[in-house]
Amino acid sequence: MGLISELKLAVPWGHIAAKAWGSHQATPVLCLHGWLDNANSFDRLIPLLPKDFNYVAMDFGGHGLSSHYSPGFPYHYQNFVSEVRRVAAALKWNRFSLLGHSFGGAVGGMEMDNLLTYKRRAIEHVLQVEASRKPEQVVSPEEMLQRLLKKNSHASEECGKHLLQRGTTQVATGVWLNRDRRITWAEHCLDFVSRELFMHYIKNLQARVLLVKATEGYYALRREDDADKETVMFVVSSLKSVLKERFQYFEVPGNHYIHMNQPQQVARVISSFLQNKEGTPASL
């Protein structure tokens, strides 16, 4: 199943870039990449998935080939949710499945004791970036690759090159990053909800949900001052208790970029889930 086309979907601040595989008449699946990644994140996984679906992988705003938000307009979680709705509307999709990696697969938020500190830092960070007016830093392709690999220890060199293929722009003296500098820290764009509100959300969830966790994934990348695993375990147990048979959870051997490094490890589980016809859209 080869790539059919590159898409450029109009939005008020510019465009959302995306890439599509499969027939436009097939059942739609919208693919959402992880933080600071781009739509190339799914290039190795999608060819291993069932051929009777229409897969569209979008670049979130400020990522990949999508337009940056206008100055003064912050990147918040709700905005990315809105982007998903805008893309679906542009494609004239009424019902579709979601396939997300890491940030792209988030189905709720997490409660944090230092919420106000994070919010203050978020505002300060955006103002500092806007005030700096620094030109984009141009470095050699090799240096850019080494920088990416240093910050993403789970990404292989081949994986890093693939992400940078869409995530950088070539100029006369080297390359620069396409992504907006305001999105450097993911926590600056997240809105955290209480556990009570999270439970309220999932009680109104009608979709089937598949959660695939790499055994050496998310927590191996976290910083020392982050909370322990209890929060995500709460999310898993809550989804299981509320959604019951509509929720599936699998752990597979691999790291955070398993969908790129070893896509066959997750392709079987995802394929089975997508092909389970129960009349409700899927969320992965």
Side-chain angles (χ1 to χ4, degrees), residues 15 36 53 79 97 122 151 157 162 166 195 226 244:
H15 69 271
L36 302 186
F53 287 85
N79 297 336
S97 295
K151 294 179 179 178
E157 181 172 335
H162 202 66
R166 191 178 183 89
R195 296 189 176 195
D226 278 336
K244 297 182 172 29

Side-chain angles (χ1 to χ4, degrees), residues 117 119-129 188:
T117 299
K119 287 296 183 185
R120 185 183 70 250
R121 290 177 179 173
I123 295 171
E124 292 174 350
H125 173 71
V126 170
L127 294 177
Q128 288 171 2
V129 171
H188 288 169

Side-chain angles (χ1 to χ4, degrees), residues 5-280:
S5 60
E6 288 277 352
L7 308 177
K8 185 180 286 188
L9 308 173
V11 291
W13 62 92
H15 69 271
I16 292 292
K19 50 200 305 186
W21 295 258
S23 169
H24 296 305
Q25 281 69 50
T27 303
V29 179
L30 185 59
C31 307
L32 310 176
H33 62 77
W35 193 253
L36 302 186
D37 292 342
N38 55 62
N40 276 13
S41 177
F42 294 98
D43 282 1
R44 297 178 184 174
L45 175 61
I46 288 175
L48 302 178
L49 300 182
K51 304 298 187 288
D52 52 343
F53 287 85
N54 177 207
Y55 301 95
V56 173
M58 61 179 281
D59 291 325
F60 283 125
H63 294 73
L65 301 180
S66 288
S67 298
H68 295 184
Y69 285 4
S70 302
F73 188 58
Y75 290 88
H76 282 323
Y77 178 74
Q78 297 99 318
N79 297 336
F80 295 119
V81 175
S82 176
E83 288 182 21
V84 170
R85 299 296 296 270
R86 289 180 185 276
V87 168
L91 297 173
K92 295 181 171 55
W93 289 353
N94 293 319
R95 291 169 64 84
F96 56 95
S97 295
L98 291 171
L99 171 60
H101 169 242
S102 192
F103 174 80
V107 291
M110 69 178 70
E111 182 180 16
M112 300 192 66
D113 294 333
N114 56 351
L115 175 60
L116 294 179
T117 299
Y118 271 87
K119 287 296 183 185
R120 185 183 70 250
R121 290 177 179 173
I123 295 171
E124 292 174 350
H125 173 71
V126 170
L127 294 177
Q128 288 171 2
V129 171
E130 290 180 351
S132 69
R133 299 185 181 277
K134 292 181 179 179
E136 296 293 342
Q137 189 173 17
V138 178
V139 300
S140 70
E142 180 59 28
E143 182 177 349
M144 186 68 77
L145 175 61
Q146 293 308 313
R147 289 183 179 186
L148 183 149
L149 296 178
K150 183 177 180 180
K151 294 179 179 178
N152 299 275
S153 60
H154 285 190
S156 66
E157 181 172 335
E158 189 176 359
C159 167
K161 288 180 178 178
H162 202 66
L163 289 172
L164 291 177
Q165 179 185 8
R166 191 178 183 89
T168 57
T169 293
Q170 182 80 44
V171 294
T173 55
V175 296
W176 68 41
L177 285 171
N178 291 338
R179 67 177 184 239
D180 196 321
R181 285 184 294 160
R182 290 175 291 174
I183 63 173
T184 303
W185 292 356
E187 53 265 39
H188 288 169
C189 305
L190 289 170
D191 282 304
F192 305 103
V193 300
S194 67
R195 296 189 176 195
E196 291 77 14
L197 188 55
F198 174 75
M199 290 297 293
H200 174 75
Y201 286 160
I202 63 175
K203 285 178 181 177
N204 288 279
L205 185 62
Q206 298 181 20
R208 295 179 295 118
V209 175
L210 168 66
L211 177 58
V212 182
K213 181 184 180 300
T215 54
E216 303 299 324
Y218 181 63
Y219 287 100
L221 292 179
R222 304 189 75 189
R223 295 179 294 278
E224 292 180 359
D225 59 349
D226 278 336
D228 60 21
K229 302 180 181 181
E230 196 272 334
T231 299
V232 170
M233 291 303 100
F234 164 77
V235 170
V236 172
S237 62
S238 299
L239 287 168
K240 187 179 299 184
S241 66
V242 173
L243 300 184
K244 297 182 172 29
E245 68 277 359
R246 289 190 289 125
F247 176 65
Q248 296 181 43
Y249 175 72
F250 290 90
E251 289 195 2
V252 294
N255 64 28
H256 191 66
Y257 280 92
I258 187 173
H259 68 303
M260 296 189 74
N261 294 330
Q262 299 169 290
Q264 67 279 2
Q265 291 279 60
V266 293
R268 181 183 58 81
V269 176
I270 295 173
S271 297
S272 176
F273 186 80
L274 283 173
Q275 293 178 315
N276 183 8
K277 311 289 187 181
E278 292 187 2
T280 56

